Amino acid sequence: MLVVAGIPRCGTTYVANAVGWPHERGVIKTHGLAPPESLGDPMAGRVNEALARGGKALFIFGDPLHAVMSTLKNQFNKVHFRNCGCAFPRDLLEKDWLHYEQMFDSWMKPQPFEVLRVRYETMPEHFGAFKEFLGFMPSFAPWRARAACPFPNMPREKLLKVYGRLADKIAKAPDVSLEGI
């Protein structure tokens, strides 16, 4: 079993597709917290069970300011919000309703299972780490780097007020790390 987890809009779908999701049985994609926490994520039970039975996890994270701007631009629906522990869409510039910081903290702390953590922005530099961790090379689609400032009309001050602490944590995190091996 393989769990592909990550902050929304940071490459979880890109990585999940590269390892065979949704067609490959045994690949679970989630935007939930690391076990045993859940925030109501409907995938939490499957994630907990998969990792308790010796499964591995990939955690993908990236610049939260870009992630939030992309979420706002792509107008996520109620399902996306529910999967992140939020009952209905809220103003993401008011509060971290999707629990990005809690998600990052939960996956970055020591885990009793194997987890490879990779920064979205440097992912192509670490494709070899995926191969080493998984035992096979995922079928990555051609890489498209994010633009430096994809949404120039977003209120940066509001973003920093809500997500600045998380942005600092992520800036200090290693680009790639292994746990539980």
Side-chain angles (χ1 to χ4, degrees), residues 28-164:
I28 302 167
K29 178 180 172 257
T30 183
H31 294 300
L33 304 180
E37 305 169 84
S38 77
L39 289 176
D41 175 11
M43 299 303 295
R46 289 185 62 209
V47 169
N48 291 347
E49 183 180 338
L51 295 174
R53 291 185 176 188
K56 293 182 174 188
L58 299 170
F59 177 66
I60 312 303
F61 64 94
D63 180 338
L65 305 182
H66 281 248
V68 171
M69 290 186 287
S70 182
T71 299
L72 291 169
K73 178 183 177 232
N74 289 290
Q75 301 175 351
F76 273 21
N77 63 34
K78 289 182 181 184
V79 173
H80 291 97
F81 282 74
R82 184 191 72 222
N83 290 347
C84 293
C86 186
F88 53 87
R90 306 265 183 132
D91 181 359
L92 298 182
L93 299 177
E94 172 188 304
K95 180 180 173 180
D96 182 7
W97 291 110
L98 297 180
H99 309 285
Y100 286 10
E101 186 167 8
Q102 190 175 356
M103 190 182 308
F104 178 79
D105 290 346
S106 76
W107 285 99
M108 294 303 280
K109 69 183 180 184
Q111 300 295 344
F113 49 84
E114 293 180 85
V115 59
L116 174 68
R117 304 173 186 104
V118 180
R119 179 184 309 274
Y120 172 81
E121 291 82 3
T122 64
M123 193 181 303
E125 300 167 31
H126 304 293
F127 284 166
F130 285 92
K131 180 179 180 183
E132 185 177 324
F133 182 72
L134 297 170
F136 67 92
M137 183 56 137
S139 300
F140 290 109
W143 180 255
R144 292 183 318 190
R146 287 186 180 161
C149 185
F151 315 108
N153 298 328
M154 288 286 178
R156 186 165 176 79
E157 302 80 34
K158 283 187 171 184
L159 284 165
L160 286 171
K161 183 177 178 184
V162 176
Y163 302 98

